[in-house]
Amino acid sequence: MIREFPLQPPTTASRALVEPVEARWKIADIEALFALPFLDLMFRAQEVHRAHFKAGEVQRSTLLSIKTGGCSEDCGYCSQSSRHSTGLEREALMPLDEVLEHARAAKESGSSRFCMGAAWRSPKEKDLAAVIEMVKEVKKLGLETCVTLGMLNTEQAKLLAEAGLDYYNHNVDTAPEYYGEVITTHTLQDRLDTIEKVRDAGINVCSGGIVGMGEGQTGRAGLIAQLANMEPPPESVPINKLIAFPGTPLAGSGAIDPFDFVRTIAVARITMPNSFVRLSAGREQMGDELQALCFMAGANSIFYGERLLTTGNADSNADMRLFARLGLISI
């Protein structure tokens, strides 16, 4: 007998608590979703998706690294950490005119959002001023703007909001109980504090995680619970498949089973019905069939373009051919 789940959970949660006292989604219920027969889970995800979004529409974002390498954090998956021997050199902040060149190209190719990432623990005053100018100028092109700059204080979040920033990306990465296995130079609560400052400043939140880091199904359920129990959940939820970058501590991680990845997308859709669920890192390694299953599971956003921060991305022409084959529409 298939267990019935409501399209939306019945209770509310306190904002950004590591262990919500009154969780809308309990770990056990999320694990039960993961345990559903695959086709039943897909059907449930499609029901939820079609109740909250127009079927077949996929939002496209382009991601640009505006400052690469030299980050002081020790995130075990990250090629940009100065603590890992990945061969990436520290680069200076990209000049404004070069950023705008990339932004114009992104708009011409059909992206509606332009995301800028900098490898910092947190931005310095002079660097933030330069990023704020980038946000203002990119918005003039008619694109939504998103940045990921590390941890922010209240004043920094306020300044970004005043510049008109649309989204701030700050992933929670993995389940609370697994966080210390991946990162030791900051805590999950540090991340949640930044998310709360961003939300209080009136900026939309983009926050997701990475799967395939050895967290297992229970860890993936914990990641989804952390996101779904935020009040409100993030407007954008990127689900990243680990890219085992040589020289990082997680370089030897085994690949996640493709069906487990699709299950993660489906459970994210069910538990966060109003959020855009984005296929993010790792898409270059996915075949058309796996991506099609992810769209069927409720993914309705992708990173579009030949490159992410430091790794390759699915070919743009191949993306458009796949969209045509599946009857998907870019928004």
Side-chain angles (χ1 to χ4, degrees), residues 35-50:
L36 283 173
F38 185 77
L39 295 182
D40 293 330
L41 178 60
M42 297 289 279
F43 179 73
R44 190 71 54 79
Q46 266 293 299
E47 282 188 309
V48 174
H49 182 71
R50 288 168 182 258

Side-chain angles (χ1 to χ4, degrees), residues 28-329:
D29 287 338
I30 293 177
E31 287 190 297
L33 283 173
F34 270 103
L36 283 173
F38 185 77
L39 295 182
D40 293 330
L41 178 60
M42 297 289 279
F43 179 73
R44 190 71 54 79
Q46 266 293 299
E47 282 188 309
V48 174
H49 182 71
R50 288 168 182 258
H52 294 84
F53 287 94
K54 194 168 182 179
E57 290 187 344
V58 180
Q59 185 270 333
R60 288 189 287 173
S61 297
T62 293
L63 177 62
L64 175 68
S65 178
I66 59 173
K67 188 272 173 186
T68 303
C71 183
S72 62
E73 303 298 276
D74 70 350
C75 306
Y77 53 80
C78 186
S79 61
Q80 301 196 67
S81 172
S82 60
R83 300 165 185 257
H84 309 328
S85 299
T86 62
L88 281 179
E89 299 294 331
R90 181 195 300 263
E91 297 179 5
L93 185 65
M94 188 178 288
L96 176 61
D97 58 349
E98 191 173 343
V99 172
L100 292 178
E101 183 179 342
H102 285 280
R104 291 188 191 98
K107 184 178 181 181
E108 288 172 6
S109 70
S111 287
S112 59
R113 186 180 307 166
F114 191 68
C115 308
M116 296 166 275
W120 293 317
R121 175 181 170 86
S122 57
K124 295 181 173 61
E125 185 176 340
K126 64 179 178 62
D127 294 323
L128 185 64
V131 173
I132 284 172
E133 194 63 26
M134 294 174 189
V135 170
K136 291 178 178 178
E137 293 302 314
V138 169
K139 281 186 71 69
K140 289 179 183 178
L141 300 177
L143 288 162
E144 289 184 328
T145 53
C146 178
V147 298
T148 178
L149 312 172
M151 291 178 282
L152 300 178
N153 60 39
T154 300
E155 181 61 24
Q156 289 172 326
K158 180 181 176 183
L159 289 171
L160 286 167
E162 290 173 351
L165 181 68
D166 296 297
Y167 289 83
Y168 193 84
N169 169 259
H170 206 53
N171 291 336
V172 298
D173 289 334
T174 191
E177 61 273 15
Y178 196 66
Y179 201 84
E181 299 295 319
V182 179
I183 303 163
T184 67
T185 49
H186 63 262
T187 66
L188 174 57
Q189 190 59 54
D190 289 331
R191 294 231 166 191
L192 296 175
D193 289 345
T194 288
I195 290 171
E196 186 162 7
K197 291 178 175 67
V198 166
R199 181 71 78 194
D200 288 344
I203 302 170
N204 293 313
V205 171
C206 174
S207 186
I210 305 170
V211 297
M213 298 192 294
E215 71 285 335
Q217 184 170 292
T218 298
R220 290 189 280 279
L223 166 65
I224 298 299
Q226 179 65 64
L227 295 164
N229 285 323
M230 291 180 183
E231 182 54 48
E235 283 78 11
S236 284
V237 180
I239 303 295
N240 299 275
K241 180 175 172 287
L242 176 69
I243 298 176
F245 203 97
T248 62
L250 292 174
S253 298
I256 184 174
D257 179 271
F259 290 112
D260 286 341
F261 185 82
V262 177
R263 285 179 181 276
T264 306
I265 296 290
V267 174
R269 167 53 62 218
I270 292 167
T271 58
M272 292 172 277
N274 295 302
S275 302
F276 280 90
V277 177
R278 180 180 300 138
L279 281 182
S280 299
R283 204 162 59 83
E284 181 189 24
Q285 303 160 1
M286 299 180 193
D288 286 354
E289 298 83 359
L290 177 54
Q291 291 189 69
L293 283 175
C294 289
F295 292 129
M296 188 174 292
N300 62 340
S301 177
I302 61 169
F303 272 131
Y304 180 73
E306 308 301 323
R307 192 164 182 80
L308 299 180
L309 291 176
T310 62
T311 57
N313 193 31
D315 178 76
S316 299
N317 291 327
D319 282 339
M320 290 300 92
R321 288 194 297 270
L322 177 60
F323 274 40
R325 292 170 68 193
L326 298 179
L328 298 177
I329 301 170

